[in-house]
Amino acid sequence: MKSLLKLGVAALACAVIAGCGQGQDSDQLVVGFSQIGSESGWRAAETRVAREQAEARGIDLRVSDAQQRQENQIRAIRTFIAQGVDAILLAPVVETGWDAVLAEAREANIPVVLLDRRIETADEDLYLAAVASDAVEEGRVAARWLAEEVGDRQCGVIELQGTVGASVANDRREGFAEIVAGNPNLTIVRSQSGDFTRSRAKEVMESLIRSVGGPNICAVYAHNDDMMIGAIQAMTEAGLNPGEDILTVSIDGVPDIFRAMAEGQANATVELTPNMAGPAFDLLEAYLDDGTAPEKWVRTDSPLYLADTAEAEYAQRRDRY
Ligand code: GZL
């Protein structure tokens, strides 16, 4: 634990309860990470990078995998509070239902930093900062590319949404829809959740191919690359040609989407860095050392990648995930 106030509180608390959140040495920062799960390649990379970033800083990082269930995340946060950790990282699976448990963390004087998703709250002081992309802009970037690609051709789009209730799913849908609204030749013919996973997205895409009909599908927009990989499998098994007859655009920039682009089965991805924990640790260390107030939103970039650089991008990234 770092800050003097915490040392006083901790010493008192540690006299009373066993299993205090002390790192190996009393000066070591102890951080609890309530992680959503491992639903996608991007999520698994975020966890791995968080461990690397903690290791590099000598931080004792305690990761709890919630298997995509909010009640498990809330339980993990309460455990971290009881352990008296110095700070908590939270990747909130959905955007509502956090006020009570975050108020308990504030009561215990434990700062919380949100990673890669946002929460809906009337009290923005419940968390110290958020490290996340602008998911509305990610949706706009995807739709602008598609609009450019189809020109004035009529194009029926299938949208595979992320987890119901997740801020990024709502925002990526909003951004995409905003650009579609300004392009009369783009029409979202179906929009359904694939829960950010390959398997669920494959099932959903199989059923949409049956109901919409392959020839009526001009493009697929998936809120993450893993769902697009599942959709590509479904399209290929149905005898369709994703990346050629059916345009694809998704988000994350995981190695497998670069491989699909290099093989001509996908067209575009909007990258999301898996390194959300590094900036979070930096702002936490400054805050805990001398009270430096961080920016409320540390925004990560959303660059677009296309098939023309996919081969090189895949070669560079495949060992990083
Ligand atoms: C986005 C993040 C999303 C990724 C998915 O910030 O929350 O969650 O795009 C992951 O791959 O499931």
Side-chain angles (χ1 to χ4, degrees), residues 6-303:
K6 289 193 80 62
L7 280 178
V9 169
L12 182 65
C14 282
V16 177
I17 55 172
C20 280
Q22 291 289 346
Q24 274 71 21
D25 63 74
S26 62
D27 193 36
Q28 185 179 31
L29 204 58
V30 179
V31 178
F33 180 7
S34 174
Q35 177 58 299
I36 291 173
S38 52
E39 73 281 0
S40 70
W42 183 89
R43 180 70 55 198
E46 183 188 49
T47 302
R48 185 177 51 71
V49 170
R51 293 187 194 282
E52 288 169 359
Q53 293 288 325
E55 176 88 24
R57 292 170 173 78
I59 289 171
D60 174 0
L61 180 67
R62 302 171 181 183
V63 181
S64 162
D65 177 331
Q67 272 101 46
Q68 283 193 280
R69 299 169 67 91
Q70 182 176 31
E71 61 269 27
N72 291 344
Q73 291 201 277
I74 291 171
R75 191 175 302 116
I77 292 169
R78 289 193 167 122
T79 300
F80 294 143
I81 293 170
Q83 290 175 347
V85 299
D86 294 297
I88 292 170
L89 303 183
L90 169 63
V93 60
V94 292
E95 57 185 352
T96 56
W98 300 101
D99 281 15
V101 74
L102 294 185
E104 292 167 33
R106 180 167 60 185
E107 191 58 31
N109 191 31
I110 298 175
V112 175
V113 178
L114 304 180
L115 297 193
D116 78 76
R117 295 187 189 177
R118 311 303 298 268
I119 63 170
E120 210 171 85
T121 179
D123 184 356
E124 294 290 329
D125 290 336
L126 283 173
Y127 65 94
L128 178 65
V131 180
S133 59
D134 179 343
V136 177
E137 182 59 18
E138 291 170 333
R140 294 194 194 101
V141 169
R144 284 194 201 107
W145 170 80
L146 184 59
E148 180 76 21
E149 199 62 22
V150 302
D152 51 14
R153 189 163 42 113
Q154 284 305 312
C155 187
V157 186
I158 298 266
E159 179 180 24
L160 297 173
Q161 294 184 37
T163 301
V164 175
S167 65
V168 281
N170 296 334
D171 292 349
R172 287 174 180 171
R173 175 162 170 67
E174 178 189 329
F176 192 86
E178 178 191 304
I179 302 300
V180 166
N183 279 272
N185 53 324
L186 288 180
T187 310
I188 297 172
V189 292
R190 292 286 193 288
S191 184
Q192 203 172 325
S193 175
D195 205 19
F196 281 131
T197 69
R198 295 189 185 196
S199 55
R200 182 68 192 123
K202 183 169 187 284
E203 287 165 14
V204 169
M205 194 65 205
E206 284 163 352
S207 125
L208 290 176
I209 290 167
R210 285 194 295 274
S211 60
V212 174
N216 301 318
I217 302 171
C218 156
V220 179
Y221 164 52
H223 290 186
N224 80 335
D225 294 339
D226 277 63
M227 292 196 288
M228 186 58 81
I229 300 293
I232 287 169
Q233 286 163 356
M235 288 187 271
T236 307
E237 287 170 12
L240 303 172
N241 294 307
E244 290 173 37
D245 307 338
I246 298 177
L247 296 168
T248 77
V249 58
S250 50
I251 301 167
D252 278 352
V254 299
D256 281 353
I257 203 67
F258 286 104
R259 183 168 57 187
M261 288 199 276
E263 290 168 357
Q265 289 200 311
N267 302 101
T269 185
V270 181
E271 185 187 39
L272 174 73
T273 175
N275 183 13
M276 300 283 178
F281 291 143
D282 290 343
L283 69 90
L284 275 169
E285 285 181 324
Y287 175 74
L288 291 170
D289 276 352
D290 60 17
T292 302
E295 296 165 73
K296 198 68 181 174
W297 178 15
V298 176
R299 177 178 156 175
T300 61
D301 294 335
S302 307

